[in-house]
Amino acid sequence: MSEPLNDAELRRRIASLIVVRASGHASDRQRRYPRWELPNQTLRRLLADGVGGVILLGGTATELHQRCRTLQRWADQPLLLCADVEEGVGQRFEGATWLVPPMALARLHQRDPARAVALAERYGRCTGRQARRCGLNWVLGPVADVNNNPANPVINVRAWGDTPATVIALTCAFQRGLQSTGVLSCAKHFPGHGDTAVDSHLQLPLLPHNRARLDAVELAPFRSLIAAGVDSVMTAHLQIPALDAERPATLSSATLTSLLRDELKFKGLVVTDALVMDAISQRWGAGEAARLAFAAGADLILMPNDVDAAIAAIAAGLRDGTLPWSRLDQALDRRRQALARTQTFAADDAEDPDDLIDLELAEERELATTLVALSLEQRSPTAAQPLAAPGAGGVNLIRVDGVLPSTVLRANAPALTLPEQAGFRSLLCHPLGLSPWRPDQANDAPLALERLGEGPVLVQLFLRGNPFRGERDRSEPWGAALQQLQRLGRLAGLVVYGCPYTWERLSGQLDPATPAFYSPGQMDDAQALALERLLSPDRTGTDRDEGFTD
């Protein structure tokens, strides 16, 4: 630092390294997660005080565009505006393109590597172009974790594969596509969150592997993405004794400085994962966590529990000498360099919200439908019989593991409407609603059939692994439930949306004549295609490559 700073200027500079969370909706009353999404009054004050980044969630693409413009007006400096749009902008903001999860490309890569790589690059380009048109300049992806643990409750289908080679090939292709749009990228979660069986939103996971194993598996994709020019790296809240016996990766200088900076030669931005997550917040206060992360080598502090406390703690560390002033200079310089590589509102971006009515270009819509078609899987297509007509009545039993209201199961979702048109009545089971289980039943007959009613049962499972759910979904005995229905001759069919490991486990227990489909995606496109194939037997043999163009 070439000259002394007064307290106000020091706080402003530190504040520019803080990233806070906001709703994509304009009104405070529209916030879906008020625990984390700051109200407008607080948000406006913090941006005026110099906070330099916002992560957004919720609303439509048009609302996001306007929201980004508003946030930028409230600030007196260019902002880093980002979102967790790992499956395209439509995953978080309606009206944009929602793509199948990255794991779908990994399964395609097993049988057609060249096509998977080409599609992964288009995936990145689609994501970046739409993010930029909506006002974002930073995409928090790709996920570089190698999901080689099927029990992983939080990464799962977000990963681009379960082997280092697949993850490297696909994430680097995604990076090329995203980079071509002028939007910043982010490799996460360093040094690798794939081989964990607990959720760092709830607990601090332990990764017990030695350094040789970490080099061969976890670190390999990050090395490749750094070589490919990835703009930022997000830390993981993981305890890894082989790297640091005392502190988790987010707070570890051995991990963020010695390994990531010095050994892997990463020169871009390092951003923490959200510090509000329980893996950190249950052990360290907001100020202490921010100070330790900054000392360890993080340039940007994402979602501290208390923004003012985080700024004050870093300022105190700089003033008392426990934090070197060079850390502040380095972080500010990296932020400036990153912003110089992108523009929040480029000349070719939409300036009028009305221009976003047709945000999804024809080629992006085609990409979405192609990926859904290529990733749809059917078990025993030659042996399966047509879906039995429900006759006097049938049950469309749907299990959703996400939060309510569910983005994948609106009132007009194909998972509801198509079976209902075929004569099934829908029954939704969710932790906040109906439970289909009878705890007093034997382990091989867990379903409370009296709650379901009579007739054949079509089972649709929306299970993919979601943050904050931990072990809850894994404890449900769906394998035994399907066996129970089969013994009674009541299982009409099965569709699994999301987790491939759930599909592989359950489909192997089915009678070969039972029609069953799997789709990694859970959106309307995926539901419609799976159920059209299930309910229209003459279409089950349709070529999955139909409509592909590269």
Side-chain angles (χ1 to χ4, degrees):
M1 189 68 63
S2 58
E3 59 185 43
L5 297 174
N6 61 44
D7 288 343
E9 180 59 26
L10 177 59
R11 282 182 56 85
R12 288 191 66 82
R13 295 193 186 188
I14 296 169
S16 72
L17 305 174
I18 305 293
V19 180
V20 297
R21 177 159 159 181
S23 170
H25 294 290
S27 169
D28 285 343
R29 290 178 297 175
Q30 294 174 292
R31 290 179 297 157
R32 287 189 63 189
Y33 306 100
R35 175 181 171 190
W36 300 295
E37 294 164 359
L38 299 178
N40 282 327
Q41 184 177 3
T42 302
L43 191 60
R44 191 164 191 166
R45 174 183 69 82
L46 290 172
L47 292 175
D49 288 346
V51 163
V54 183
I55 178 173
L56 294 116
L57 174 64
T60 67
T62 303
E63 287 177 298
L64 174 63
H65 178 266
Q66 187 58 53
R67 184 68 156 160
C68 288
R69 292 167 66 85
T70 298
L71 295 173
Q72 189 61 69
R73 283 199 303 271
W74 289 350
D76 63 356
Q77 63 175 325
L79 294 175
L80 288 167
L81 296 168
C82 63
D84 276 313
V85 286
E86 298 164 1
E87 298 170 25
V89 177
Q91 179 192 13
R92 305 296 189 189
F93 306 98
E94 290 185 59
T97 303
W98 189 355
L99 301 170
V100 296
M103 187 65 78
L105 275 295
R107 292 174 78 83
L108 175 62
H109 190 263
Q110 295 173 3
R111 62 181 190 271
D112 194 340
R115 175 171 287 184
V117 168
L119 286 167
E121 185 167 347
R122 289 181 64 192
Y123 196 121
R125 191 160 56 247
C126 171
T127 302
R129 282 201 308 200
Q130 292 192 0
R132 186 168 167 171
R133 289 193 65 205
C134 290
L136 302 173
N137 56 11
W138 186 19
V139 164
L140 300 183
V143 172
D145 304 315
V146 180
N147 196 83
N148 56 3
N149 188 339
N152 195 318
V154 66
I155 303 302
N156 206 284
V157 295
R158 300 166 61 195
W160 289 86
D162 52 17
T163 67
T166 299
V167 174
I168 289 170
L170 296 178
T171 56
C172 287
F174 175 93
Q175 164 68 15
R176 288 193 298 274
L178 187 67
Q179 196 169 43
S180 71
T181 69
V183 172
L184 301 174
S185 55
C186 183
K188 60 186 187 184
H189 306 80
F190 185 82
H193 206 319
D195 194 8
T196 59
V198 299
D199 180 1
S200 51
H201 292 83
L202 302 173
Q203 304 172 55
L204 180 62
L206 172 69
L207 203 63
H209 305 307
N210 62 30
R211 180 58 197 271
R213 152 59 196 257
L214 294 172
D215 281 332
V217 179
E218 280 76 16
L219 294 175
F222 290 98
R223 289 182 188 274
S224 295
L225 283 166
I226 290 169
V230 75
D231 298 287
S232 61
V233 169
M234 179 179 286
T235 71
H237 302 329
L238 300 175
Q239 189 74 54
I240 310 176
L243 300 178
D244 191 322
E246 296 182 3
R247 290 181 178 160
T250 295
L251 310 181
S252 166
S253 60
T255 303
L256 302 188
T257 298
S258 299
L259 175 57
L260 181 57
R261 292 288 187 206
D262 299 340
E263 184 176 335
L264 301 187
K265 308 300 182 185
F266 179 62
K267 300 185 184 304
L269 281 168
V270 175
V271 57
T272 70
D273 205 346
L275 294 187
V276 296
M277 293 163 62
D278 286 351
I280 297 296
S281 63
Q282 286 186 346
R283 293 165 173 78
W284 292 274
E288 184 183 16
R291 182 183 62 80
L292 289 173
F294 193 70
D299 303 303
L300 302 178
I301 307 300
L302 177 64
M303 293 176 61
N305 251 330
D306 184 326
V307 173
D308 294 304
I311 294 171
I314 293 173
L318 292 166
R319 291 293 193 201
D320 67 20
T322 56
L323 288 175
W325 286 97
S326 59
R327 279 292 301 118
L328 181 61
D329 292 336
Q330 292 162 357
L332 292 170
D333 187 53
R334 291 181 188 121
R335 181 181 183 277
R336 281 192 294 268
Q337 291 179 33
L339 279 167
R341 293 194 295 274
T342 187
Q343 292 176 301
T344 305
F345 300 105
D348 59 344
D349 292 337
E351 291 295 336
D352 186 338
D354 289 341
D355 293 341
L356 291 178
I357 292 173
D358 296 318
L359 171 70
E360 188 176 55
L361 303 178
E363 63 190 86
E364 294 160 352
R365 174 96 293 267
E366 182 272 328
L367 173 64
T369 56
T370 293
L371 288 172
V372 167
L374 286 171
S375 60
L376 183 66
E377 300 179 22
Q378 178 183 6
R379 183 178 179 273
S380 304
T382 58
Q385 300 299 310
L387 182 68
V395 180
N396 175 29
L397 181 61
I398 300 177
R399 172 69 172 94
V400 182
D401 68 355
V403 297
L404 290 179
S406 174
T407 57
V408 302
L409 206 64
R410 300 185 306 275
N412 62 346
L416 294 168
T417 59
L418 294 181
E420 288 167 1
Q421 291 168 13
F424 292 87
R425 61 179 181 83
S426 296
L427 194 61
L428 173 64
C429 54
H430 186 276
L432 298 180
L434 172 71
S435 171
W437 312 120
R438 282 190 55 182
D440 58 332
Q441 286 282 75
N443 291 335
D444 61 349
L447 278 178
L449 295 177
E450 69 277 7
R451 297 179 183 173
L452 302 185
E454 300 297 325
V457 181
L458 167 62
V459 178
Q460 297 189 74
L461 303 177
F462 290 81
L463 302 173
R464 57 165 284 162
N466 283 297
F468 300 102
R469 298 198 56 77
E471 301 281 338
R472 284 175 285 182
D473 300 320
R474 260 182 281 169
S475 63
E476 295 182 349
W478 282 107
L482 295 176
Q483 291 291 318
Q484 179 185 4
L485 291 171
Q486 284 190 146
R487 286 195 303 271
L488 297 171
R490 294 189 60 186
L491 182 60
L494 171 69
V495 186
V496 175
Y497 306 95
C499 179
Y501 312 114
T502 299
W503 161 249
E504 290 163 359
R505 184 176 71 251
L506 297 179
S507 62
Q509 303 176 27
L510 297 181
D511 185 303
T514 300
F517 286 84
Y518 165 68
S519 177
Q522 296 186 326
M523 67 289 286
D524 284 3
D525 288 344
Q527 298 170 31
L529 184 60
L531 290 167
E532 285 167 5
R533 301 281 177 87
L534 188 74
L535 298 168
S536 304
D538 58 312
R539 298 185 59 191
T540 56
T542 302
D543 186 357
R544 286 192 294 181
D545 294 351
E546 178 180 301
F548 174 83
T549 58
D550 186 19

